[in-house]
Amino acid sequence: MDPNTVDKNDDRYSHYHRRIQHPRMDCYNLRIMLQRKLEIGEIEMGNPEGGKATQHQVMMLSHEPSGDAWKPWEDNDEEACETEMENPAFTNTDGVASRFAQTVLSQQLFDSLDFSENQIKEASKAITAIAAGKPYDPLPKEAIVFTDEDIFYPGEHLRPLYLTTHINKHPLKRAFVYGGASLNLISMHTLDILGVQRSAIRMRTTSVKGFGGHTQTSIGIVNLVMKVGPIRALTPFYILEDDTTFHVLLGRGWLLNHKVVASTYHQCVKTNMGGRKYRIPSTSNPFDPDETYMA
């Protein structure tokens, strides 16, 4: 039923709900609606006489009204609104952080700490997120970070970084991750173990410089389907005649193609795939008892 003149003259008439309920100044729903619009910058508050900003003077609307029909909140939303008012959460922490950084007290604090412009921005975001009860992570979602929890072998060590890989569904324990190589390498002996036919090899002579500066000539190149953790892809390998202590060597090309970051200190590699972070630990026992001489 539409309100009449008598209802509108009542002290408890709410213009927001359009019924006798409570005065406009006591309306939690209206307060939250205004607070949200303030946070996202849809409205600005101020005093037309140049005084301090007040809570209930709306000076400008920065958006056009939408075509959807406006409906007042129902009574069952009132309790939820009261709870939300008691535990305010900013919906746009970046906007609040920007305004916080411009206050006199915050500027005095940051000046006393000799913060740079970027430090002020990050500190304001962190303080605003804490005030809103939200977690604050300054790193982008795609950032890869190593922590002490990632350390596979505690204490000092000089271990090379070996990963377990599968080629032709055959497990290999020593996929040597080496960022100093631009090529992926495999020995002819390993190809024989994998049962790769000679017809799969493309004959191509390429000079490969070893650790000691000596140069070797590769027999050719072969493309093999390799799986390391969640990474499964057709991978090119240059073939060496000499036997090696590793089964395969993964160089910078493989690391860059799959956005893998390796840490010999933590003895693991990390990557992001499909918005999900993966940690691939090193092989715990890369050498069998009869292979200890190679370690």
Side-chain angles (χ1 to χ4, degrees), residues 161-194:
L161 180 53
Y162 289 115
L163 302 179
T164 299
T165 182
H166 289 77
I167 298 178
N168 290 352
K169 299 183 179 180
H170 193 290
L172 300 174
K173 296 191 299 181
R174 294 193 297 277
F176 179 37
V177 179
Y178 180 55
S182 59
L183 305 175
N184 303 318
L185 302 177
I186 191 169
S187 67
M188 184 62 73
H189 175 68
T190 303
L191 286 179
D192 292 337
I193 294 176
L194 297 174

Side-chain angles (χ1 to χ4, degrees), residues 11-290:
D11 292 338
R12 294 180 298 109
Y13 177 76
S14 172
H15 292 272
Y16 182 74
H17 296 282
R18 301 185 64 195
R19 60 177 177 265
I20 296 176
Q21 185 170 337
H22 50 237
R24 179 179 57 187
M25 302 297 290
D26 296 334
C27 182
Y28 285 104
N29 295 341
L30 185 59
R31 288 185 184 182
I32 288 185
M33 183 189 71
L34 293 175
Q35 178 65 28
R36 286 174 174 169
K37 290 184 179 297
L38 275 172
E39 292 167 3
I40 63 178
E42 288 188 354
I43 61 175
E44 294 181 359
M45 309 291 267
N47 190 324
E49 297 178 358
K52 294 184 178 180
T54 59
Q55 185 176 1
H56 305 289
Q57 289 177 321
V58 180
M59 296 302 298
M60 182 184 72
L61 289 175
S62 60
H63 72 290
E64 296 295 331
S66 63
D68 298 333
W70 175 84
K71 296 180 180 179
W73 288 8
E74 301 295 335
D75 290 338
N76 53 10
D77 293 330
E78 189 73 22
E79 183 177 353
C81 293
E82 293 180 7
T83 304
E84 192 170 351
M85 286 293 294
E86 294 172 358
N87 302 286
F90 308 117
T91 57
N92 182 13
T93 54
D94 287 348
V96 177
S98 178
R99 292 193 290 273
F100 169 76
Q102 297 173 4
T103 61
V104 175
L105 290 178
S106 64
Q107 289 178 356
Q108 292 176 348
L109 171 63
F110 296 143
D111 288 344
S112 66
L113 297 174
D114 196 23
F115 274 10
S116 65
E117 184 176 349
N118 289 334
Q119 288 175 320
I120 291 175
K121 185 182 298 184
E122 293 301 323
S124 300
K125 289 181 180 179
I127 294 173
T128 305
I130 294 172
K134 297 180 179 179
Y136 175 70
D137 186 0
L139 296 174
K141 293 182 179 179
E142 64 274 9
I144 294 179
V145 180
F146 292 90
T147 66
D148 290 343
E149 296 178 356
D150 296 319
I151 298 178
F152 199 64
Y153 294 105
E156 296 183 1
H157 63 81
L158 295 175
R159 294 173 178 267
L161 180 53
Y162 289 115
L163 302 179
T164 299
T165 182
H166 289 77
I167 298 178
N168 290 352
K169 299 183 179 180
H170 193 290
L172 300 174
K173 296 191 299 181
R174 294 193 297 277
F176 179 37
V177 179
Y178 180 55
S182 59
L183 305 175
N184 303 318
L185 302 177
I186 191 169
S187 67
M188 184 62 73
H189 175 68
T190 303
L191 286 179
D192 292 337
I193 294 176
L194 297 174
V196 177
Q197 301 296 324
R198 293 293 190 271
S199 59
I201 300 174
R202 288 185 295 159
M203 307 308 291
R204 179 188 299 178
T205 57
T206 304
S207 297
V208 179
K209 185 174 289 188
F211 297 104
H214 63 281
T215 301
Q216 291 179 277
T217 301
S218 67
I219 299 173
I221 186 172
V222 62
N223 292 306
L224 302 172
V225 177
M226 181 179 68
K227 183 179 184 298
V228 181
I231 304 171
R232 184 178 184 274
L234 189 65
T235 307
F237 288 95
Y238 286 82
I239 307 166
L240 298 179
E241 183 66 43
D242 295 341
D243 196 8
T244 58
T245 56
F246 54 80
H247 291 131
V248 296
L249 183 146
L250 303 178
R252 292 192 302 272
W254 181 81
L255 294 171
L256 296 176
N257 286 340
H258 302 291
K259 299 180 181 179
V260 174
V261 179
S263 173
T264 55
Y265 173 74
H266 297 85
Q267 283 289 291
C268 65
V269 302
K270 288 188 171 184
T271 185
N272 290 333
M273 292 183 62
R276 181 179 175 184
K277 297 181 180 180
Y278 292 91
R279 174 184 176 272
I280 307 172
S282 64
T283 306
S284 57
N285 295 300
F287 297 96
D288 294 329
D290 58 341

